[in-house]
């Protein structure tokens, strides 16, 4: 399967830039995703289904950083695959499983956020640890099945000269190869993306409705901002995923449906490198936007400073707290107000 032809050599400058870029990305993947696992493990407040899915996402990304990316860097430098056919096939399996697992985890996170925001009072009943474990097991069974299907005759792997790696053949001939490529694109990509679109559409519809019903002066902006921040964080992660995988997806589906499948080799390489880059994005998005995760990160590296900030924030909250709580003037004790506050503070 591997072809060591040097007919399409890449310019030395592009090789150097690509290798340097992938090295930086690989370091970011390993450090960032290991930190996710450590912070979630060390922080009890992060022992929740949403963060379990994040850990599962980090495991999928670590497969890219520890196995796939180093071999890809070697291929970029050598401009050919020098590790033999079996490892080339394993290379394809790893990237396929990681991609499918990442997308399915993002889909699971969107469903989790849907219940978290639209069913806040029943969330702990709907999303349990047992259901989360089952969902994580399904994610990996689903991903591994599609990654190893060519081993059993459904679909095939192919060596791609433009990237010097093996990958699923999107342009294969025959019913088995075409049906596999079409099923891989529809079931493993479009279906999860459709679920995410529907879930977040319902989330924003619920958010707008709740914001319209909020009538308590002085609490609306602060609580609505805190309430929407987790959703925005996940949306940014999904947006980064789609951005990084968009070129690779367009290239793959072009090969699947276009009569003329030849594409510029540089475009194919850019699509693959951007796809690999996605595996280092999730940690930095969470570290910047998630307050609880950021606090857990400080606890891991700077426990004394974290304790100082915690005491400082507690004293500031006590100093800002009113000595008397007006009840009748703003209707806090009314049933409708209690319901609104419950929905806000749950998120």
């Amino acid at each position: 399967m591997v072809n060591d032809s040097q007919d399409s050599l890449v310019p030395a400058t592009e090789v150097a830039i690509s290798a340097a870029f992938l090295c930086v990305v690989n370091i970011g993947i390993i450090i960032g995703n290991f930190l996710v696992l450590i912070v979630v493990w060390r922080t009890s407040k992060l022992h929740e289904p949403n963060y379990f899915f994040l850990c599962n996402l980090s495991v999928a990304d670590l497969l890219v950083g520890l196995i796939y990316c180093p071999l890809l860097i070697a291929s970029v430098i050598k401009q050919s695959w020098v590790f033999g056919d079996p490892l080339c096939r394993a290379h394809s399996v790893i990237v396929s499983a990681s991609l499918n697992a990442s997308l399915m985890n993002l889909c699971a996170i969107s469903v989790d956020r849907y219940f978290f925001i639209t069913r806040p009072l029943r969330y702990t009943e709907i999303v349990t640890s047992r259901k989360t474990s089952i969902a994580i097991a399904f994610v990996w069974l689903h991903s591994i099945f599609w990654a190893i299907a060519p081993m059993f005759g459904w679909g095939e792997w192919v060596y791609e000269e433009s990237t010097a790696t093996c990958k699923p053949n999107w342009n294969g001939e025959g019913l088995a190869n075409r049906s596999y490529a079409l099923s891989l694109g529809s079931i493993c990509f479009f279906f999860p993306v459709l679920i995410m679109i529907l879930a977040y559409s319902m989330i924003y519809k619920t958010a707008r409705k709740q914001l319209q019903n909020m009538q308590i002066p002085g609490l609306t902006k602060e609580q609505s901002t805190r309430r929407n921040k987790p959703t925005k964080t996940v949306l940014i992660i999904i947006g980064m995923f789609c951005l990084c995988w968009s070129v690779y997806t367009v290239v793959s589906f072009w090969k699947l449906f276009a009569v003329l499948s030849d594409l510029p080799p540089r475009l194919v390489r850019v699509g693959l490198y951007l796809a690999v880059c996605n595996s280092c994005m999730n940690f930095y998005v969470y570290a910047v936007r998630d307050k609880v995760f950021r606090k857990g990160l400080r606890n891991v590296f700077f426990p004394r400073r974290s304790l100082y900030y915690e005491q400082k924030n507690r004293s500031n909250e006590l100093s800002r707290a009113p000595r008397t709580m007006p009840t009748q003037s703003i209707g806090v004790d009314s049933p409708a107000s209690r319901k609104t506050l419950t929905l806000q503070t749950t998120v």
Side-chain angles (χ1 to χ4, degrees):
M1 178 173 60
V2 176
N3 182 5
D4 293 330
S5 174
Q6 299 290 327
D7 294 337
S8 56
L9 291 176
V10 181
T13 303
E14 183 178 339
V15 170
I17 295 175
S18 299
F21 173 77
L22 290 173
C23 286
V24 173
V25 168
N26 194 29
I27 294 173
I29 292 173
I30 295 174
I31 295 177
N33 289 288
F34 265 126
L35 284 177
V36 169
L37 299 178
I38 293 173
V39 170
V40 173
W41 174 53
R42 294 282 300 273
T43 307
S44 59
K45 291 183 178 180
L46 299 180
H47 294 174
E48 298 177 358
N50 182 42
Y51 294 100
F52 293 155
F53 286 123
L54 174 63
C55 288
N56 201 35
L57 181 63
S58 295
V59 171
D61 291 337
L62 277 174
L63 288 177
V64 176
L66 294 176
I67 303 176
Y68 182 82
C69 207
L71 297 179
L72 176 61
I73 294 172
S75 297
V76 169
I77 296 174
K78 293 287 187 179
Q79 299 189 48
S80 64
W81 185 264
V82 296
F83 303 103
D85 283 357
L87 201 53
C88 194
R89 293 187 179 96
H91 206 231
S92 178
V93 169
I94 291 170
V95 70
S96 297
S98 176
L99 165 61
N100 294 334
S102 296
L103 188 53
M104 291 299 294
N105 273 295
L106 291 174
C107 180
I109 290 173
S110 69
V111 175
D112 172 80
R113 294 298 87 189
Y114 168 78
F115 289 118
F116 189 64
I117 292 178
T118 62
R119 305 287 191 275
L121 302 180
R122 296 187 55 217
Y123 173 75
T124 55
E125 300 176 6
I126 298 174
V127 182
T128 63
S129 298
R130 182 174 179 271
K131 293 179 181 178
T132 302
S133 300
I134 293 174
I136 291 175
F138 172 78
V139 165
W140 283 107
L141 289 175
H142 168 88
S143 304
I144 293 173
F145 167 78
W146 289 100
I148 67 174
M151 294 176 60
F152 304 96
W154 190 30
E156 65 178 356
W157 299 300
V158 64
Y159 176 76
E160 187 176 57
E161 290 188 5
S162 58
T163 60
T165 59
C166 293
K167 59 186 296 185
N169 189 5
W170 293 93
N171 196 31
E173 298 180 356
L175 179 61
N177 295 334
R178 300 289 289 181
S179 62
Y180 171 76
L182 185 60
S183 300
L184 187 65
S186 57
I187 297 176
C188 296
F189 184 80
F190 280 113
F191 184 68
V193 169
L194 179 61
I195 292 178
M196 286 188 283
I197 292 173
L198 293 175
Y200 283 107
S201 297
M202 295 299 296
I203 287 173
Y204 279 117
K205 182 178 179 180
T206 302
R208 287 195 301 267
K209 183 177 179 180
Q210 290 183 355
L211 290 175
Q212 291 174 357
N213 294 333
M214 292 169 60
Q215 301 294 333
I216 304 176
L219 296 178
T220 301
K221 183 177 180 180
E222 179 182 356
Q223 293 188 348
S224 64
T225 301
R226 184 172 65 249
R227 179 180 170 280
N228 288 326
K229 193 170 184 179
T231 303
K232 291 180 180 179
T233 298
V234 179
L235 282 175
I236 290 176
I237 292 176
I238 294 174
M240 294 301 299
F241 181 91
C242 294
L243 176 64
C244 291
W245 281 99
S246 58
V247 178
Y248 182 87
T249 303
V250 170
V251 168
S252 299
F253 277 89
W254 176 271
K255 292 181 178 180
L256 178 61
F257 294 108
V259 177
L260 299 176
S261 58
D262 291 337
L263 290 170
R266 184 169 296 172
L267 179 64
V268 178
R269 289 192 292 271
V270 169
L272 179 61
Y273 300 162
L274 285 177
V276 172
C277 186
N278 176 255
S279 295
C280 72
M281 295 293 183
N282 298 320
F283 164 75
Y284 301 103
V285 173
Y286 265 86
V288 171
R289 295 190 55 82
D290 194 287
K291 183 178 180 180
V292 180
F293 188 92
R294 192 164 59 243
K295 182 179 178 181
L297 189 62
R298 285 201 306 264
N299 286 335
V300 172
F301 290 100
F302 309 104
R304 293 184 179 180
R305 182 178 297 182
S306 179
L307 180 62
Y308 167 77
Y309 280 118
E310 184 177 353
Q311 294 175 348
K312 184 178 179 180
N313 292 333
R314 188 179 304 171
S315 63
N316 291 336
E317 291 177 0
L318 292 175
S319 63
R320 291 196 302 264
R323 296 185 178 181
T324 59
M325 177 64 72
T327 56
Q328 297 180 354
S329 60
I330 60 175
V332 172
D333 285 338
S334 64
S337 299
R338 285 200 299 269
K339 182 178 179 181
T340 302
L341 286 172
T342 302
L343 292 175
Q344 295 168 348
T345 54
T346 302
V347 180

